[in-house]
């Protein structure tokens, strides 16, 4: 059983058990940016046993000076290209970017807990 997670400086906690019945609302739904750093690009390409020069145009797009992971449309939902709805899992889980690892503890949500609760059913008031 996964324990409830807390982070210093955040007014909420997170229950990872909620992920089991959630269908990955954080990887799907509204279109968004999933930023990857240069090191993360190299790690994900390595994980997929791909050359970086092949990986970048296939899975990423440029947003200003950063790279973001592409999405695919599933009905009305925009899903991360690495999200697999059949297994409800991430195809690059071991190499997923920091942005994914640190969700739902993003600075952005510190002052937007109501918005976060609409996205993630695992959020608990503390
Ligand atoms: S939205 Fe929240 S509960 Fe759902 S998969 Fe993502 S982290 Fe888990
Ligand atoms: S990389 Fe994995 S964890 Fe991150 S949004 Fe895509 S499917 Fe979700």
């Amino acid at each position: 059983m996964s324990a409830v997670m807390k982070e210093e400086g955040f007014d909420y906690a997170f229950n990872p058990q909620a992920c089991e019945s959630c269908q990955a609302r954080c990887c799907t739904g509204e279109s968004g940016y999933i930023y990857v750093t240069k090191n993360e690009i190299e790690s994900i390409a390595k994980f997929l046993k791909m050359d970086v020069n092949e990986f970048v145009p296939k899975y990423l797009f440029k947003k200003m000076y950063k790279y973001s992971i592409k999405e695919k449309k599933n009905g009305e939902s925009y899903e991360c290209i690495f999200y697999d709805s059949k297994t409800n899992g991430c195809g690059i889980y071991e190499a997923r970017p920091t942005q994914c690892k640190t969700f739902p503890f993003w600075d952005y949500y510190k002052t937007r807990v109501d918005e976060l609760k609409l996205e993630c059913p695992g959020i608990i008031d503390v």
Side-chain angles (χ1 to χ4, degrees):
M1 194 194 280
S2 311
V4 167
M5 296 164 65
K6 287 181 192 160
E7 286 280 336
E8 182 91 33
F10 290 82
D11 293 340
Y12 53 85
F14 168 60
N15 178 8
Q17 273 188 292
C19 301
E20 287 164 25
S21 52
C22 162
Q23 291 293 320
R25 278 158 64 173
C26 49
C27 307
T28 64
E30 282 181 32
S31 183
Y33 298 110
I34 310 150
Y35 290 114
V36 280
T37 64
K38 189 171 175 290
N39 285 346
E40 288 168 346
I41 291 170
E42 285 169 6
S43 299
I44 300 167
K46 194 174 168 196
F47 180 78
L48 295 173
K49 298 186 172 56
M50 287 177 78
D51 190 88
V52 170
N53 294 327
E54 183 194 354
F55 169 77
V56 170
K58 186 162 183 192
Y59 291 115
L60 307 181
F61 66 95
K62 205 137 190 221
K63 168 70 182 161
M64 305 289 278
Y65 54 91
K66 296 194 215 173
Y67 280 103
S68 177
I69 297 176
K70 285 182 184 174
E71 295 173 312
K72 57 190 179 217
K73 195 118 191 267
N74 184 1
E76 290 304 301
S77 174
Y78 290 88
E79 298 181 347
C80 171
I81 200 160
F82 293 119
Y83 175 67
D84 182 349
S85 55
K86 288 194 193 81
T87 60
N88 191 27
C90 169
I92 56 163
Y93 189 80
E94 291 84 351
R96 70 199 189 286
T98 302
Q99 179 175 329
C100 306
K101 283 185 196 154
T102 55
F103 183 86
F105 295 104
W106 293 352
D107 281 349
Y108 174 87
Y109 286 125
K110 277 185 175 170
T111 53
R112 298 174 177 90
V113 185
D114 288 344
E115 186 185 330
L116 175 60
K117 283 180 180 168
L118 292 175
E119 166 115 2
C120 176
I123 303 305
I124 306 164
D125 289 316
V126 289

